[in-house]
Amino acid sequence: MPYFTYDHIRFYYEDDEGDGEPFIFLHGLGGDVNQTFGVMKQSDNIRRISLDFRGHGKTVSFGHADDFSFKQFAEDVIALTEHLHLKLFNIGGISTGAGVSLHLALRYPASVSKLIVSRPAWEDKPQEKWVREAFAKIHDVLQDTDPLTAQNRYENSEVYTSINSVSSYAGESLLGQFKYPYV
């Protein structure tokens, strides 16, 4: 399994080491490389690369809560490009990954050949309070118990009940956080 260390965090990434143009494709909030590699199909013209953001997937550590930002995630991606010795690359992402990709492209335009965004879920303001609360609650309930008990605690929380009453799709999507094999 490929890992690299940056900012005292061991980041998990995947790289098919293809001969084509490097394309770094970033997952959404709560996702991992399985999301992006599930969308990116193998091609002779593309070198597929993705990483698990801090606190996501197999990148278990996350540093300080303030480190959950487009700026920090973009810096983490730049650290990956340095680890892989990439000077020029294509960047893209789904949802949060789209926001990070855009941020990176604006900060490091000389490094980005192409920008591809899918389902950008962000605007020019902080994430909605209910989303922050939902992920904070998921984090809290997972800290000291097994995933099934944590899921039950979450499903009985006011945060989940409120979200699920507005959108059962959003509620179901958030429950997916308890189904990762490495939780």
Side-chain angles (χ1 to χ4, degrees):
M1 290 187 194
Y3 287 90
F4 75 100
T5 301
Y6 170 70
D7 196 26
H8 307 289
I9 295 174
R10 190 170 178 237
F11 286 88
Y12 177 78
Y13 71 96
E14 290 193 12
D15 177 358
D16 73 3
E17 299 180 9
D19 293 329
E21 291 181 62
F23 177 43
I24 302 169
F25 197 39
L26 305 172
H27 63 77
L29 188 64
D32 63 12
V33 297
N34 292 317
Q35 180 186 37
T36 49
F37 268 79
V39 173
M40 279 191 302
K41 301 304 177 199
Q42 191 167 4
S43 167
D44 292 337
N45 302 322
I46 299 171
R47 175 181 174 186
R48 301 175 305 155
I49 303 166
S50 190
L51 87 153
D52 287 343
F53 289 135
R54 44 179 73 213
H56 288 75
K58 295 176 185 169
T59 303
V60 178
S61 299
F62 61 86
H64 190 271
D66 292 341
D67 294 335
F68 272 76
S69 67
F70 287 166
K71 179 180 180 186
Q72 184 59 63
F73 286 6
E75 292 301 319
D76 297 342
V77 174
I78 290 298
L80 173 63
T81 65
E82 291 170 357
H83 172 76
L84 296 174
H85 307 289
L86 299 175
K87 301 284 185 217
L88 187 64
F89 51 87
N90 301 321
I91 188 82
I94 301 168
S95 192
T96 294
V100 173
S101 298
L102 178 59
H103 185 89
L104 189 148
L106 291 170
R107 288 195 59 212
Y108 300 96
S111 297
V112 176
S113 177
K114 296 174 186 140
L115 170 66
I116 302 166
V117 294
S118 175
R119 293 185 298 146
W122 301 91
E123 299 175 3
D124 59 349
K125 61 183 179 181
Q127 191 177 47
E128 296 292 335
K129 183 180 177 191
W130 67 269
V131 177
R132 294 190 313 266
E133 289 174 351
F135 278 99
K137 183 67 175 179
I138 290 167
H139 176 268
D140 289 346
V141 299
L142 280 170
Q143 293 310 298
D144 58 356
T145 188
D146 65 278
L148 184 57
T149 302
Q151 180 177 336
N152 288 334
R153 285 177 54 201
Y154 179 70
E155 285 182 288
N156 290 309
S157 72
E158 184 179 326
V159 171
Y160 173 77
T161 303
S162 175
I163 290 169
N164 200 49
S165 70
V166 173
S167 169
S168 60
Y169 176 79
E172 185 64 30
S173 176
L174 290 165
L175 290 178
Q177 301 306 304
F178 297 95
K179 298 189 182 359
Y180 287 114
Y182 38 80
V183 168

